[in-house]
Amino acid sequence: MSNGVPEQRKVLHRYAIWHLVRRLRRRSNGRPLTSQQFISARQRTNAAVAFLTWLKAHDLALETCQQADLDQWLTDDSATYRHTAGHFIRWARTNKLTTVHVPAVRWNGPTQPLDDEQRWNVARRLLHDDTLKPEDRLAGLLLLPYAQGPSAIGRLTIEDVEAGAQEVRLHLGDAPVQLPEPVALARVVAANRKGHATIGALAPSPWLFPGGQPGRPISTTQLTQRLNQLGIRPNQARSTALFQLATEIPAGILAEAGRTKRIRNTASTGLKHRSES
């Protein structure tokens, strides 16, 4: 299969540079890319590499891969980026580089009423389980009720936390929101931040969730992995939260998700009610 490596590299270069990067440049129209756009492109590139590497390891090639081979990949627990690779596979099929197909999956809201209740069950655990790390509990609670994505959570700084004697407020947008107990553990997280970025640094790290490099916040990928370990799938959990909020808040207000006071107050009220139940 060594002869196939140059061909794989050509396909990967074509996909990453001439498709992903070119599309990003077209969509940004000269504006700086957002961190989420960069992360998405990187994940899709890594997924393409993972799939091509898996094919090579199984003495397969993209052009000769059969649907049965793809099905094996999708059910192989040792394979990484299985679902993210669907974007690359659909691109390859469109460009007649393969005949296999992975349908695009669009999430249209909770598939059953238990989805929202399951979200609150996980939130209750984060509220009361002292065996979990405070920073992981806080990140999960900012996602589940407040619909804050990992990239937004990672950008929070200690200046976003207003810790008074009686209450704790957190800036999630244009105005701070008062956090109900015990979500006020943001006070604990701000005072006891850990990570390589806080060790040996010349100046205190400004990030509420420090990353592995001095002066840098936790990466979206790393935070997502930590949330996954808590049983939280950020994309679906955030979509579920927004879907539920859509039943309680007018669409015009929901469009400013994460930036309007009404949304944050609604989330705080729901969280306080369930923490007491």
Side-chain angles (χ1 to χ4, degrees), residues 248-263:
E248 305 174 19
I249 298 173
I253 296 178
L254 188 65
E256 295 296 319
R259 292 186 290 275
T260 66
K261 186 175 182 179
R262 184 169 175 180
I263 282 182

Side-chain angles (χ1 to χ4, degrees), residues 55-94:
L55 288 177
K56 182 177 182 296
H58 289 76
D59 292 328
L60 298 169
L62 183 62
E63 62 272 15
T64 58
C65 175
Q66 301 297 310
Q67 193 66 38
D69 300 320
L70 178 60
D71 292 341
Q72 181 182 351
W73 149 265
L74 292 174
T75 56
D76 187 346
D77 291 336
S78 65
T80 57
Y81 296 99
R82 286 178 295 171
H83 301 294
T84 309
H87 185 271
F88 167 72
I89 295 168
R90 288 188 292 274
W91 170 85
R93 180 182 173 89
T94 299

Side-chain angles (χ1 to χ4, degrees), residues 120-197:
W120 284 114
N121 286 339
V122 176
R124 289 189 191 96
R125 178 194 172 204
L126 297 178
L127 283 168
H128 303 295
D129 192 345
D130 293 334
T131 64
L132 301 175
K133 294 180 180 179
E135 57 269 29
D136 291 347
R137 293 170 62 194
L138 178 60
L141 288 168
L142 290 177
L143 171 65
L144 293 171
Y146 294 95
Q148 300 296 301
S151 60
I153 295 172
R155 290 196 299 269
L156 290 172
T157 69
I158 55 174
E159 293 185 355
D160 291 319
V161 180
E162 296 180 5
Q166 302 297 327
E167 62 183 26
V168 176
R169 294 177 179 270
L170 184 64
H171 286 264
L172 296 178
D174 52 6
V177 57
Q178 182 175 343
L179 298 178
E181 292 289 353
V183 189
L185 56 84
R187 184 201 308 269
V188 177
V189 174
N192 299 278
R193 290 168 299 140
K194 298 179 180 180
H196 296 296

